[in-house]
Amino acid sequence: MILPSKHLSQNRALLTVGALILRHLSTPVTVSALWEQVFSFAKSQTEPTPLRYDAFVLTLDLLFLMDAIVLREGLLYRRVL
């Protein structure tokens, strides 16, 4: 689920979704506003089914565990490494 495999397309892998989230996280934003941005972008792509919310939340968990994002005062920040 984290990496693409034979049964999981590259667009559904959590690392790919994480890269998409980090691209949209250039400024601090709430989780709901980030979801709207990422979902509308994913829906505009040629995929038959857009990104699901549970995959979005799992990806946020993965990015937090990787220390790539931080949540402060209700806003998500992209951690500068």
Side-chain angles (χ1 to χ4, degrees):
M1 181 161 217
I2 295 173
L3 296 172
S5 67
K6 184 166 82 171
H7 302 289
L8 181 68
S9 72
Q10 181 177 353
N11 295 335
R12 296 282 180 221
L14 294 184
L15 283 181
T16 306
V17 177
L20 176 65
I21 288 174
L22 289 176
R23 190 178 335 150
H24 287 290
L25 199 56
S26 57
T27 60
V29 68
T30 63
V31 174
S32 58
L34 181 63
W35 164 246
E36 290 176 11
Q37 291 174 8
V38 171
F39 180 74
S40 64
F41 178 80
K43 195 165 84 170
S44 70
Q45 300 301 308
T46 59
E47 289 189 40
T49 55
L51 179 66
R52 292 181 12 194
Y53 188 72
D54 59 342
F56 174 76
V57 171
L58 283 173
T59 304
L60 288 180
D61 290 341
L62 178 67
L63 291 173
F64 180 77
L65 289 172
M66 293 171 54
D67 205 26
I69 61 172
V70 64
L71 181 67
R72 272 186 267 152
E73 298 176 5
L75 296 175
L76 278 175
Y77 291 83
R78 181 178 182 174
R79 190 176 294 270
V80 179
L81 301 175

